[in-house]
Amino acid sequence: MAGAPASRLSRAAVAASPWTDRMSVPSDIAAARAAVLDRIAQAATASGRAPESITLTAVSKLQPDDRVEAMLATGQRIFGENRVQEAEARWRERRARYSDLHLRLIGPLQSNKAADAVAFFDAIESLDRSKLVAVLAVEVQKQGRSPEFLIQVNTGEEAQKAGIAPREADAFIKAARETYGLPVRGLMCIPPVDEEPAMHFALLAKIAARNDLPILSMGMSDDFETAIRFGATHVRVGSALFGARP
Ligand SMILES: *Cc1c(COP(=O)(O)O)cnc(C)c1O
């Protein structure tokens, strides 16, 4: 998965955001967010869905502090991070200031960080192996705290990408629920950079539907409107909101 986010920052995404030439003007964050929310609303309406049924996760990984502060000033409270330690450094103190903050882990989770992740995050979107599910289940019991859990599906079956293979997803979901007693709520995917994302979103939606999973985290700066068309409930948008990651 390392490398995917940067390469997904296509020319199209940059051109569609107001960041093209001015990379670090925090006052433009509000305009960027308004534009993304507007595009979400239009995509939802075009599919006969309520705009409020789609959650915008602002992916703040690697973004400088002034941009994060500017985003908080717009009222945005749902943020995505892909590393536990980086998230703790950025958000631990801000948590005290913003009681309604909602933090989602969207990157791979090592088993030895599972306890920290359960303690810190409101959602963990990257369940990708049995050992991790087992460790998380123990932590949920121990801490009496349960984030929202999503299973990552490697829809493109890419060797370098995390996630459960599509043909193994049903059995994995069942085991997470029944063997480990973990309350899985949905699925997440990151389509291959060089493929049409629509078929990957359709596949994820199909697996979620047949397993009664209500949450679908799919769509990034480049393709969130397509994802909404295929049923995304959560879109994870970084560069179109904050500008390119330094
Ligand atoms: C970085 C990242 C994003 C955001 O990517 P952008 O193209 O900047 O919108 C979304 N999801 C995951 C899992 C990521 O790692």
Side-chain angles (χ1 to χ4, degrees), residues 131-153:
K131 185 189 174 199
L132 179 60
V133 171
V135 174
L136 289 170
V138 169
E139 283 307 322
V140 165
Q141 288 301 314
K142 217 165 33 184
Q143 299 184 27
R145 176 175 205 281
S146 187
E148 178 182 282
F149 290 111
L150 273 55
I151 289 169
Q152 182 173 354
V153 180

Side-chain angles (χ1 to χ4, degrees), residues 1 4-10 13 57-61 63 80-82 105-108 125 152 188-190 217 219-224 235-241 243-245:
M1 176 144 64
S7 50
R8 286 190 69 79
L9 181 62
S10 74
T57 299
V59 178
S60 48
K61 66 177 182 205
Q63 293 289 353
E81 290 284 348
N82 68 346
L105 180 65
I106 60 174
E125 303 198 2
Q152 182 173 354
M188 182 269 260
C189 76
I190 309 167
S217 172
M220 316 195 342
S221 290
D222 272 3
D223 52 21
F224 65 86
V235 293
R236 309 178 307 269
V237 181
S239 43
L241 286 171
R245 283 177 286 279

Side-chain angles (χ1 to χ4, degrees), residues 97-207:
R97 276 192 286 145
Y98 300 96
S99 58
D100 52 350
L101 213 54
H102 177 98
L103 300 176
R104 308 181 67 87
L105 180 65
I106 60 174
L109 176 58
Q110 292 169 271
S111 300
N112 64 5
K113 302 251 174 66
D116 291 345
V118 167
F120 194 71
F121 286 96
D122 302 290
I124 300 175
E125 303 198 2
S126 48
L127 274 58
D128 61 359
R129 59 200 191 278
S130 300
K131 185 189 174 199
L132 179 60
V133 171
V135 174
L136 289 170
V138 169
E139 283 307 322
V140 165
Q141 288 301 314
K142 217 165 33 184
Q143 299 184 27
R145 176 175 205 281
S146 187
E148 178 182 282
F149 290 111
L150 273 55
I151 289 169
Q152 182 173 354
V153 180
N154 188 356
T155 56
E157 306 203 48
E158 296 172 279
Q160 82 281 11
K161 206 168 269 178
I164 301 297
R167 67 182 173 282
E168 287 160 14
D170 292 345
F172 188 85
I173 294 162
K174 187 167 153 54
R177 285 168 158 165
E178 295 174 13
T179 310
Y180 300 103
L182 204 67
V184 176
R185 295 270 295 149
L187 302 178
M188 182 269 260
C189 76
I190 309 167
V193 267
D194 50 359
E195 284 180 28
E196 175 55 47
M199 65 181 192
H200 296 275
F201 298 149
L203 174 60
L204 198 72
K206 201 167 131 190
I207 298 170

